[in-house]
Amino acid sequence: MAASNFQRVGSISNTHAGRDFEACARAHFARQGLDLIENFPVEIGYGSTKRHRFDLGSDDPPVLVECKSNTWTETGNSPSAKIKGMNEVMLYFSVAPPQYRKILFVLRHMKGELSLAAHYVRTQGHLIPPGVEVWEYCTASNRAFQLV
């Protein structure tokens, strides 16, 4: 049985694709006046806590950002494992300290007229905690748009 290759087309590795997208996100927020730190550590949890490193963050102002450069599958299906990863982000946001602004920053990837981020909000919106923002970043226009 042949092994599946889940490598992002056009990228050295999925890790590189993720890091490149985090750099885009950091640059976007810098243009908005937010100087965010990579691998930003925060204590999260209920009662007992554990340190979690968010992709980007700051204490002044308090902001936490998780970046997802997910794409539809090659056949155009919803990437269920990646959707679960975004749900995991929502869990981290729900147990992060309340003073932080929390942002899921998602790469705009289209299937027809539907972006993957919009699909996530439509199908998983019930899992997005109050106050969490979902932003979609379009590389073609170098702009981000808030969905939630």
Side-chain angles (χ1 to χ4, degrees), residues 50-133:
K50 185 174 181 179
R51 183 168 291 214
H52 175 76
R53 292 188 174 273
F54 288 88
D55 292 333
L56 301 169
S58 168
D59 278 327
D60 187 22
V63 178
L64 301 173
V65 179
E66 280 291 306
C67 301
K68 295 294 179 185
S69 62
N70 301 335
T71 60
W72 294 97
T73 66
E74 284 188 29
T75 58
N77 293 324
S78 175
S80 60
K82 302 300 183 181
I83 296 292
K84 288 178 184 176
M86 287 190 269
N87 287 342
E88 182 177 44
V89 168
M90 294 305 149
L91 174 62
Y92 292 144
F93 282 154
S94 73
V95 295
Q99 71 269 23
Y100 285 92
R101 176 182 177 194
K102 299 159 181 119
I103 302 168
L104 174 61
F105 199 76
V106 183
L107 175 68
R108 184 171 201 211
H109 196 256
M110 303 298 291
K111 177 177 84 171
E113 296 293 315
L114 182 64
S115 73
L116 186 55
H119 169 72
Y120 176 75
V121 169
R122 188 184 76 213
T123 63
Q124 306 296 306
H126 60 289
L127 298 177
I128 300 173
V132 170
E133 301 171 28

